[in-house]
Amino acid sequence: MTPQQNDITYVKGIGPVRAAALRNNGIHSISDLLYNFPFDYLDRSRITKIKELPKLVEAGREVTVIGTVFRAETKFTRNRKRIFFLTMKDETGFLTCVFYNGIEWYQKAFAPEEILAVSSVPELDKYNRVQFIHPEFDRLKTKDEEDETDWNSLLHTGAIIPKYHSNEELRNAGLDNRGFRRIMKNVIRQHLQTVQEHLPAEMIRRQSLCSINQALAMIHFPKTYEERDTALRRLKFDELFYFQLLLAYRRKEIKGALTGISFKIRGALSTQLEQSLPFTLTDAQKKVIGEILSDMEQPVPMNRLLQGDVGSGKTIVALLAMLTAVENSYQAVLMAPTEILAEQHWRSISQLVRDLNVNVRLLVGNQKKKLREDILEDIRRGSAQIVIGTHAIIQEHVQFAHLGFAVIDEQHRFGVAQRAQLREKGKENPDVLVMTATPIPRTLSLTVYGDLDVSVIDELPKHRKPIRTAVRAENDKPKIFEFVHSEILQGRQIYVVYPLIEESEKVDLKAATAEYESMKKVFPEFSVGLLHGRMSSDEKDDVMKKFLIKEIHILVATTVIEVGIDVPNASVMIIENAERFGLSQLHQLRGRVGRGAEQSYCILISEPQYMQKQLITSSDRAAVYDEIRASKKRLQTMCETTDGFKIAEVDLQLRGAGDYFGTRQSGMPGFRVANVVTDYDILLLAREEAFTLVAKDPNLARPENKNIRYQFENVFKDLLSFVRVG
Ligand code: ADP
Ligand code: MG
């Protein structure tokens, strides 16, 4: 398509007003329109007759009713609040839809006899009549409309009708769902043939894909669900293919073009450390150390991910690798996401290397100026052999004399850009090891970390007892306190964690502080501490130290303790409002106990009433039902397993890939249709094609690959732009 052909005003039905509205919503061209896929479809199989609704209340699932507008009226409650009622009618009965908000808009929205599809979870009102509360609705047609109607085809031919996202601005320009459908019909009819195929015929055949033209036509107006699936498969393949192409280039760039440092391995320092450890390394630790060291020997920069569940002993693995760099007269750096964590690493690593005469320095945000300058000088001169810190390390004025090895702990807390920035601190392409205790399902590691090699510690140190986990209610508290009491008398320590209840740290803090006060009253004979994100790092440090030396028995905390904190004597983790936490967060929190030889416990306190209340007050009930189902599943999974990989898989299923790490954070593109988890099979095929292509035709110079190159550089640019930084 030439740029002129691509102008949206060429589409029949789009004049200046609609064009402006579309542009404001990010749709600038005909290609943008073609790629503005329906978010859902209406189909006959999901349409319910009104008289069937009472039977479906129990199921709590969304259903769709098609009918005509019978009556619309606004009523007042006793305290003068307005409620808008819309009564729909089909040949089997009447249905009332209730709207509490946006009354003004709804009052004008519906014409008598208009035909609508309304979707919601059916519920009973106080007279046991079925009602829809704030349903989603979709205009099908007004009574006097005579065009080839969606509505008729829907009911009589079983056609599938696309649903498009709209908003107030678009609606005002006549582009509600129905308006969108009309212009999309025109786009497909008039302009589809100008779209060029970009994949080579060979690849299309090999992967049994349909053509791009067929795919675009069928995604908008499928005749059957098979057609839609065929279209989806092609469009998903495209997204995954170009994404993997990017990863293939990135890996080639790091591996192929750059020369790295070739370290001599198993020198004096690392050997001495390994021999002086108070424990023997697990087989899994030995295996991953082998993998890392063999990378370090190669004159190619290492780019490796180390995955290991909480408590699997990643720190010692990283330290052995860092000492290898130090033996070779290079500096090593370890970057952690929080100050507490950086300080803890600094303390434990300093302790481990105390007999080795290695200079370990800590660099964090708010150190005193004089100390800070001394550290920076030490780093610049190269006399700081191991540097541990927060993202303070990647700031511009931090200069290393000869950085050879970089470790990033809890990688998922950092962006791809920060990984690159750390690497750039070395003049000679340092080896990079990223570590994560959030186990990444296999399906995701090929995407999020698709350009990395992966090592896995799949074994915990021996003699660890699995943590016992249970869900308890608020009124089990007396029993729980009794238990806490007896554990402390046996010398153990306790964590009580509070979630971020509101999206505001202040409220969060208030809740934790209140809990702290009440715990002090319940346990006057013990010492209770409080830890939260608003404390200065000195204060936090002070509390943590007191907890470490058992001066504090019960530590009430917000989620600041989530990652990495290591106090082996703590044996009980109590998590308040556990239903509000994500699964991997719960797993991380639980990982704070079970680090010593004693039996440890995790008590998840969850209040069913809280969820009920949420249900009563929310207008988006379908979402609340989903959330309740999901939170039950999370708590149940926690009780069933302590295996981080299993937990990660469930978490991923519950949350979907986009949300798993937060899209930008992870460097994952915002796919329109592909889902790296559920489309794993397509992902593997696309990856294979992309990596083979880069190996065979690295410059995409062959005629059959010319369009791939164009597509890669132009069309997928937006999708991939921010992935490119790493
Ligand atoms: P994580 O992988 O969660 O970062 P750490 O490196 O903090 O785990 O290790 C957790 C604890 O286990 C530390 O106290 C560490 O000294 C100890 N540890 C590490 N490796 C072993 C081992 N092979 N045997 C026994 N304890 C170990
Ligand atoms: Mg750790």
Side-chain angles (χ1 to χ4, degrees):
M1 231 186 280
T2 64
Q4 282 82 17
Q5 286 174 324
N6 210 353
D7 189 330
I8 35 175
T9 51
Y10 278 81
V11 177
K12 192 170 155 238
I14 300 185
V17 175
R18 287 186 174 179
L22 286 168
R23 285 196 195 101
N24 288 341
N25 284 280
I27 297 176
H28 299 274
S29 63
I30 293 176
S31 326
D32 289 344
L33 272 174
L34 284 167
Y35 279 85
N36 177 43
F37 303 145
F39 70 92
D40 198 5
Y41 303 85
L42 266 180
D43 80 287
R44 201 151 62 149
S45 64
R46 270 164 33 202
I47 290 163
T48 306
K49 295 285 174 228
I50 289 175
K51 80 163 192 280
E52 306 295 326
L53 289 176
K55 286 184 236 155
L56 298 169
V57 171
E58 188 113 325
R61 283 220 169 70
E62 187 177 87
V63 295
T64 298
V65 165
I66 289 186
T68 53
V69 171
F70 177 71
R71 186 168 55 211
E73 58 190 337
T74 307
K75 288 184 186 160
F76 288 87
T77 64
R78 232 173 285 156
N79 45 12
R80 304 300 295 162
K81 278 202 70 149
R82 286 182 304 174
I83 304 177
F84 179 70
F85 294 91
L86 177 75
T87 307
M88 304 280 306
K89 169 185 145 213
D90 72 4
E91 68 275 21
T92 69
F94 295 89
L95 165 70
T96 303
C97 303
V98 187
F99 298 87
Y100 297 102
N101 307 316
I103 309 278
E104 238 104 274
W105 191 84
Y106 286 111
Q107 281 172 329
K108 290 187 220 128
F110 307 105
E113 296 292 303
E114 187 176 16
I115 298 167
L116 301 178
V118 285
S119 309
S120 181
V121 179
E123 300 190 38
L124 296 179
D125 69 8
K126 60 183 171 191
Y127 308 107
N128 272 338
R129 288 178 312 212
V130 177
Q131 60 177 8
F132 278 5
I133 295 173
H134 275 269
E136 245 188 70
F137 66 92
D138 192 23
R139 280 169 226 285
L140 296 177
K141 95 188 236 287
T142 49
K143 201 183 162 216
D144 47 354
E145 225 169 14
E146 291 301 341
D147 61 1
E148 1 79 88
T149 61
D150 295 329
W151 148 250
N152 272 326
S153 54
L154 180 70
L155 286 186
H156 301 300
T157 68
I160 299 163
I161 295 183
K163 291 166 83 169
Y164 295 93
H165 280 298
S166 185
N167 58 30
E168 198 171 346
E169 183 181 21
L170 290 166
R171 277 195 292 270
N172 288 340
L175 293 176
D176 58 2
N177 227 326
R178 189 169 41 149
F180 252 115
R181 279 198 290 269
R182 288 219 185 105
I183 62 166
M184 284 318 299
K185 276 210 172 116
N186 296 337
V187 173
I188 299 285
R189 213 175 283 144
Q190 290 179 296
H191 302 277
L192 188 62
Q193 70 280 11
T194 57
V195 176
Q196 270 188 30
E197 182 55 70
H198 49 94
L199 295 182
E202 265 295 284
M203 196 190 293
I204 290 183
R205 206 180 37 74
R206 209 168 28 238
Q207 303 297 345
S208 324
L209 301 169
C210 67
S211 74
I212 188 63
N213 295 50
Q214 285 172 315
L216 290 171
M218 295 191 304
I219 193 76
H220 289 285
F221 298 104
K223 290 198 191 64
T224 61
Y225 275 105
E226 285 74 46
E227 283 197 4
R228 186 212 44 188
D229 291 344
T230 307
L232 268 180
R233 187 164 180 282
R234 165 64 205 253
L235 296 166
K236 287 173 175 183
F237 184 90
D238 283 6
E239 287 184 341
L240 294 167
F241 172 76
Y242 286 101
F243 179 49
Q244 291 296 330
L245 195 58
L246 175 79
L247 295 180
Y249 276 117
R250 197 196 283 166
R251 177 186 274 220
K252 187 167 138 51
E253 203 175 291
I254 293 166
K255 289 229 145 179
L258 303 176
T259 43
I261 306 156
S262 184
F263 294 101
K264 282 209 177 59
I265 63 167
R266 303 204 186 271
L269 293 173
S270 52
T271 308
Q272 203 181 326
L273 175 71
E274 196 171 335
Q275 283 164 359
S276 70
L277 288 175
F279 45 76
T280 49
L281 295 172
T282 62
D283 290 343
Q285 282 170 316
K286 286 184 192 151
K287 180 193 70 188
V288 302
I289 290 165
E291 287 164 357
I292 293 166
L293 292 182
S294 90
D295 271 7
M296 292 180 76
E297 271 189 301
Q298 304 298 318
V300 178
M302 173 170 89
N303 205 19
R304 186 171 280 279
L305 170 73
L306 175 58
Q307 275 197 66
D309 212 342
V310 279
S312 62
K314 294 183 292 296
T315 314
I316 191 74
V317 171
L319 179 57
L320 285 167
M322 289 196 284
L323 286 176
T324 302
V326 173
E327 287 159 5
N328 286 264
S329 306
Y330 281 94
Q331 291 168 291
V333 60
L334 189 162
M335 182 164 75
T338 64
E339 282 186 18
I340 290 193
L341 206 51
E343 285 161 21
Q344 179 183 291
H345 274 311
W346 175 65
R347 255 198 306 278
S348 65
I349 286 176
S350 302
Q351 177 69 14
L352 283 161
V353 302
R354 70 190 176 282
D355 298 330
L356 302 181
N357 195 24
V358 172
N359 184 16
V360 185
R361 304 289 326 239
L362 174 72
L363 183 69
V364 291
N366 51 7
Q367 282 162 317
K368 298 246 159 59
K369 195 158 177 248
K370 193 142 173 291
L371 174 64
R372 185 180 175 77
E373 267 160 20
D374 181 52
I375 297 166
L376 290 175
E377 178 59 21
D378 216 7
I379 298 174
R380 199 160 33 234
R381 281 207 322 264
S383 46
Q385 293 163 293
I386 294 180
V387 182
I388 295 169
T390 55
H391 50 263
I393 289 175
I394 51 177
Q395 279 157 10
E396 231 165 272
H397 54 270
V398 182
Q399 285 169 3
F400 285 81
H402 35 72
L403 179 62
F405 194 84
V407 185
I408 301 176
D409 195 19
E410 306 301 344
Q411 148 74 21
H412 66 286
R413 293 289 185 105
F414 294 103
V416 184
Q418 285 160 319
R419 207 204 300 169
Q421 280 167 342
L422 190 59
R423 181 185 291 121
E424 279 155 21
K425 288 286 172 192
K427 300 176 192 96
E428 296 176 67
N429 301 316
D431 283 350
V432 175
L433 179 70
V434 303
M435 307 200 292
T436 176
T438 308
I440 298 155
R442 201 175 44 119
T443 40
L444 263 196
S445 56
L446 273 188
T447 315
V448 183
Y449 299 117
D451 58 337
L452 298 176
D453 298 307
V454 180
S455 291
V456 183
I457 306 184
D458 50 8
E459 172 188 16
L460 292 181
K462 292 180 187 65
H463 321 299
R464 292 249 174 97
K465 296 201 178 87
I467 302 160
R468 284 201 209 144
T469 305
V471 179
R472 293 287 178 268
E474 197 62 33
N475 52 21
D476 296 323
K477 277 277 180 69
K479 262 192 172 157
I480 296 170
F481 290 154
E482 240 171 75
F483 175 67
V484 163
H485 195 264
S486 74
E487 282 289 299
I488 298 177
L489 286 184
Q490 289 173 51
R492 304 285 99 74
Q493 287 162 282
I494 318 292
Y495 290 104
V496 182
V497 176
Y498 241 81
L500 243 139
I501 291 177
E502 307 278 326
E503 291 297 318
S504 121
E505 266 189 85
K506 261 193 198 150
V507 181
D508 172 28
L509 182 55
K510 234 165 89 191
T513 311
E515 177 77 6
Y516 165 67
E517 295 299 335
S518 90
M519 289 302 265
K520 279 206 295 200
K521 287 200 190 92
V522 179
F523 297 105
E525 67 277 45
F526 300 133
S527 136
V528 183
L530 175 65
L531 190 73
H532 58 76
R534 294 205 145 198
M535 289 159 71
S536 74
S537 65
D538 279 354
E539 289 170 318
K540 280 190 261 186
D541 205 36
D542 191 48
V543 173
M544 275 321 296
K545 270 189 200 135
K546 282 189 179 143
F547 192 59
L548 200 58
I549 59 173
K550 284 205 203 179
E551 239 172 62
I552 290 174
H553 302 108
I554 302 172
L555 184 62
V556 177
T558 59
T559 49
V560 289
I561 62 151
E562 180 193 337
V563 270
I565 300 291
D566 188 25
V567 181
N569 191 55
S571 66
V572 182
M573 167 62 69
I574 299 173
I575 303 178
E576 296 270 0
N577 292 112
E579 72 282 343
R580 304 199 195 191
F581 286 94
L583 197 42
S584 63
Q585 216 179 0
L586 288 172
H587 180 62
Q588 283 291 326
L589 288 169
R590 179 169 62 181
R592 300 308 110 218
V593 297
R595 312 193 130 229
E598 309 299 331
Q599 177 64 54
S600 288
Y601 306 86
C602 175
I603 302 170
L604 304 168
I605 299 177
S606 174
E607 207 41 68
Q609 286 101 310
Y610 152 73
M611 299 201 238
Q612 297 289 319
K613 215 189 297 167
Q614 206 187 5
L615 196 60
I616 291 161
T617 52
S618 172
S619 61
D620 191 355
R621 292 180 182 224
V624 176
Y625 277 118
D626 282 353
E627 175 50 28
I628 290 177
R629 257 194 291 274
S631 64
K632 279 189 186 147
K633 178 78 184 168
R634 290 198 293 268
L635 299 180
Q636 182 198 343
T637 305
M638 284 296 290
C639 295
E640 281 169 6
T641 182
T642 53
D643 178 336
F645 283 90
K646 270 192 205 140
I647 287 175
E649 290 287 354
V650 177
D651 197 22
L652 191 54
Q653 281 163 20
L654 288 176
R655 285 208 272 167
D659 199 32
Y660 189 71
F661 287 131
T663 307
R664 279 197 173 257
Q665 272 291 312
S666 63
M668 201 144 68
F671 292 123
R672 284 194 175 89
V673 285
N675 175 324
V676 291
V677 181
T678 45
D679 301 322
Y680 189 63
D681 50 341
I682 307 178
L683 174 86
L684 287 181
L685 298 171
R687 183 174 170 89
E688 174 75 29
E689 289 284 358
F691 277 69
T692 314
L693 180 66
V694 170
K696 283 194 180 149
D697 186 14
N699 298 316
L700 300 177
R702 292 188 197 163
E704 72 270 25
N705 298 330
K706 193 180 81 215
N707 285 348
I708 291 186
R709 186 179 177 141
Y710 180 83
Q711 196 80 0
F712 186 48
E713 286 173 356
N714 297 284
V715 180
F716 279 81
K717 198 176 56 198
D718 291 345
L719 181 75
L720 300 173
S721 58
F722 61 85
V723 187
R724 212 161 277 225
V725 283

mmCIF file of all heavy atoms in Angstrom, residues 42 122 192 198 255 348 417 438 469 481 518 529 596 619 640:
data_model
loop_
_atom_site.group_PDB
_atom_site.id
_atom_site.type_symbol
_atom_site.label_atom_id
_atom_site.label_comp_id
_atom_site.label_asym_id
_atom_site.label_seq_id
_atom_site.Cartn_x
_atom_site.Cartn_y
_atom_site.Cartn_z
ATOM 1 N N LEU A 42 -20.226 -11.390 18.634
ATOM 2 C CA LEU A 42 -21.530 -11.836 19.116
ATOM 3 C C LEU A 42 -21.912 -13.029 18.285
ATOM 4 O O LEU A 42 -21.839 -12.977 17.070
ATOM 5 C CB LEU A 42 -22.563 -10.763 18.822
ATOM 6 C CG LEU A 42 -22.900 -9.741 19.877
ATOM 7 C CD1 LEU A 42 -23.943 -8.809 19.299
ATOM 8 C CD2 LEU A 42 -23.399 -10.411 21.130
ATOM 9 N N PRO A 122 -26.436 -12.292 34.963
ATOM 10 C CA PRO A 122 -27.789 -12.071 35.468
ATOM 11 C C PRO A 122 -27.831 -12.142 36.992
ATOM 12 O O PRO A 122 -27.145 -12.963 37.588
ATOM 13 C CB PRO A 122 -28.602 -13.214 34.856
ATOM 14 C CG PRO A 122 -27.616 -14.250 34.474
ATOM 15 C CD PRO A 122 -26.316 -13.554 34.220
ATOM 16 N N LEU A 192 -8.756 -4.095 0.773
ATOM 17 C CA LEU A 192 -7.988 -5.257 1.209
ATOM 18 C C LEU A 192 -6.971 -5.706 0.171
ATOM 19 O O LEU A 192 -5.857 -6.082 0.487
ATOM 20 C CB LEU A 192 -8.946 -6.404 1.549
ATOM 21 C CG LEU A 192 -8.276 -7.614 2.194
ATOM 22 C CD1 LEU A 192 -7.646 -7.228 3.524
ATOM 23 C CD2 LEU A 192 -9.281 -8.729 2.413
ATOM 24 N N HIS A 198 3.596 -10.440 3.016
ATOM 25 C CA HIS A 198 4.989 -10.172 3.403
ATOM 26 C C HIS A 198 5.796 -11.416 3.718
ATOM 27 O O HIS A 198 7.011 -11.382 3.742
ATOM 28 C CB HIS A 198 5.052 -9.175 4.565
ATOM 29 C CG HIS A 198 4.140 -9.510 5.708
ATOM 30 N ND1 HIS A 198 4.551 -10.225 6.781
ATOM 31 C CD2 HIS A 198 2.826 -9.232 5.904
ATOM 32 C CE1 HIS A 198 3.534 -10.369 7.630
ATOM 33 N NE2 HIS A 198 2.474 -9.784 7.120
ATOM 34 N N LYS A 255 26.126 -12.103 20.690
ATOM 35 C CA LYS A 255 26.997 -13.265 20.596
ATOM 36 C C LYS A 255 28.009 -13.143 19.469
ATOM 37 O O LYS A 255 29.165 -13.480 19.625
ATOM 38 C CB LYS A 255 26.153 -14.518 20.333
ATOM 39 C CG LYS A 255 25.362 -14.925 21.522
ATOM 40 C CD LYS A 255 25.555 -16.371 21.784
ATOM 41 C CE LYS A 255 25.545 -16.569 23.278
ATOM 42 N NZ LYS A 255 25.700 -17.913 23.708
ATOM 43 N N SER A 348 26.231 -10.252 53.730
ATOM 44 C CA SER A 348 26.507 -11.690 53.695
ATOM 45 C C SER A 348 27.714 -12.003 52.808
ATOM 46 O O SER A 348 28.505 -12.878 53.119
ATOM 47 C CB SER A 348 25.264 -12.487 53.291
ATOM 48 O OG SER A 348 24.910 -12.184 51.977
ATOM 49 N N ALA A 417 16.117 -2.056 29.725
ATOM 50 C CA ALA A 417 17.038 -0.938 29.512
ATOM 51 C C ALA A 417 18.108 -0.917 30.595
ATOM 52 O O ALA A 417 19.276 -0.649 30.325
ATOM 53 C CB ALA A 417 16.263 0.374 29.521
ATOM 54 N N THR A 438 11.649 -15.500 40.901
ATOM 55 C CA THR A 438 10.298 -15.703 40.423
ATOM 56 C C THR A 438 10.431 -16.685 39.277
ATOM 57 O O THR A 438 10.821 -16.315 38.199
ATOM 58 C CB THR A 438 9.704 -14.399 39.884
ATOM 59 O OG1 THR A 438 9.873 -13.400 40.876
ATOM 60 C CG2 THR A 438 8.241 -14.557 39.559
ATOM 61 N N THR A 469 1.297 -24.703 54.979
ATOM 62 C CA THR A 469 0.511 -23.518 54.647
ATOM 63 C C THR A 469 -0.969 -23.773 54.878
ATOM 64 O O THR A 469 -1.458 -24.856 54.554
ATOM 65 C CB THR A 469 0.731 -23.142 53.172
ATOM 66 O OG1 THR A 469 2.126 -22.996 52.951
ATOM 67 C CG2 THR A 469 0.019 -21.847 52.816
ATOM 68 N N PHE A 481 -2.869 -16.576 67.527
ATOM 69 C CA PHE A 481 -2.017 -15.897 68.504
ATOM 70 C C PHE A 481 -1.430 -16.876 69.520
ATOM 71 O O PHE A 481 -0.282 -16.764 69.928
ATOM 72 C CB PHE A 481 -2.799 -14.789 69.227
ATOM 73 C CG PHE A 481 -3.112 -13.611 68.339
ATOM 74 C CD1 PHE A 481 -4.205 -12.798 68.592
ATOM 75 C CD2 PHE A 481 -2.299 -13.310 67.251
ATOM 76 C CE1 PHE A 481 -4.490 -11.712 67.777
ATOM 77 C CE2 PHE A 481 -2.573 -12.220 66.429
ATOM 78 C CZ PHE A 481 -3.680 -11.432 66.689
ATOM 79 N N SER A 518 -1.767 -3.042 67.681
ATOM 80 C CA SER A 518 -2.602 -4.069 68.297
ATOM 81 C C SER A 518 -1.762 -5.306 68.654
ATOM 82 O O SER A 518 -2.000 -5.948 69.669
ATOM 83 C CB SER A 518 -3.798 -4.410 67.413
ATOM 84 O OG SER A 518 -3.482 -5.438 66.528
ATOM 85 N N GLY A 529 8.223 -5.246 66.164
ATOM 86 C CA GLY A 529 8.854 -4.209 65.336
ATOM 87 C C GLY A 529 7.983 -3.879 64.139
ATOM 88 O O GLY A 529 7.097 -4.649 63.766
ATOM 89 N N GLY A 596 15.542 -22.130 57.853
ATOM 90 C CA GLY A 596 16.366 -22.834 58.837
ATOM 91 C C GLY A 596 16.001 -24.306 58.870
ATOM 92 O O GLY A 596 15.329 -24.805 57.973
ATOM 93 N N SER A 619 -19.977 -2.132 40.469
ATOM 94 C CA SER A 619 -20.909 -2.184 39.357
ATOM 95 C C SER A 619 -20.446 -3.200 38.322
ATOM 96 O O SER A 619 -21.236 -3.732 37.563
ATOM 97 C CB SER A 619 -21.051 -0.809 38.721
ATOM 98 O OG SER A 619 -19.804 -0.386 38.232
ATOM 99 N N GLU A 640 -1.483 -26.057 48.304
ATOM 100 C CA GLU A 640 -1.203 -27.341 47.661
ATOM 101 C C GLU A 640 0.267 -27.569 47.352
ATOM 102 O O GLU A 640 0.715 -28.701 47.301
ATOM 103 C CB GLU A 640 -2.003 -27.457 46.356
ATOM 104 C CG GLU A 640 -3.435 -27.838 46.578
ATOM 105 C CD GLU A 640 -4.283 -27.687 45.320
ATOM 106 O OE1 GLU A 640 -3.720 -27.381 44.237
ATOM 107 O OE2 GLU A 640 -5.498 -27.861 45.431
#
